[in-house]
Amino acid sequence: MKTQNTLYLAIGALLGAAIYFTINFTSVPLIATAVPLAFAAIAVLLNNHFEKTKSLSPTKSVNAVMIGVLIKLLFSALIIAGLIVLKKESKYASAGLVFLTYIIYSVLLIKSALKIENSK
């Protein structure tokens, strides 16, 4: 497994555990512990797609990154809506949790996209 994919899965597991152990303080639904793992799975799939397009052309590579960010944004909106329907009193905590997870995975994807490999 690629190190980037391992990093995505490790961060997903750590965030999921952190959410699980802070549920009593934030009143976030228990299902929210799966949100970082779902983001990790999406990030692994998008990273594999990005790695394939990286060798084709710069335009396809940029398009793959932007589509990845868009997919994660739309997924975030659906998850926030679902968590708000499940537990309205924790809407701010749920939205913050999902948005923070979205930011972390988007920064990691963009950071891996900006790595310039030395070809000598």
Side-chain angles (χ1 to χ4, degrees), residues 66-86:
M66 296 310 295
I67 288 172
V69 170
L70 176 66
I71 288 171
K72 284 188 278 191
L73 183 63
L74 293 175
F75 181 73
S76 298
L78 288 174
I79 293 297
I80 289 172
L83 289 175
I84 288 173
V85 167
L86 285 175

Side-chain angles (χ1 to χ4, degrees), residues 24-95:
N24 293 331
F25 306 116
T26 60
S27 69
V28 173
L30 184 62
I31 191 96
T33 58
V35 169
L37 296 175
F39 267 100
I42 291 172
V44 167
L45 293 173
L46 293 173
N47 187 50
N48 290 340
H49 176 67
F50 171 69
E51 290 297 325
K52 290 177 189 173
T53 61
K54 191 189 286 189
S55 62
L56 297 176
S57 74
T59 304
K60 289 186 180 193
S61 177
V62 169
N63 286 343
V65 171
M66 296 310 295
I67 288 172
V69 170
L70 176 66
I71 288 171
K72 284 188 278 191
L73 183 63
L74 293 175
F75 181 73
S76 298
L78 288 174
I79 293 297
I80 289 172
L83 289 175
I84 288 173
V85 167
L86 285 175
K87 210 166 189 182
K88 288 183 176 143
E89 62 270 7
S90 66
K91 60 185 173 187
Y92 298 118
S94 298

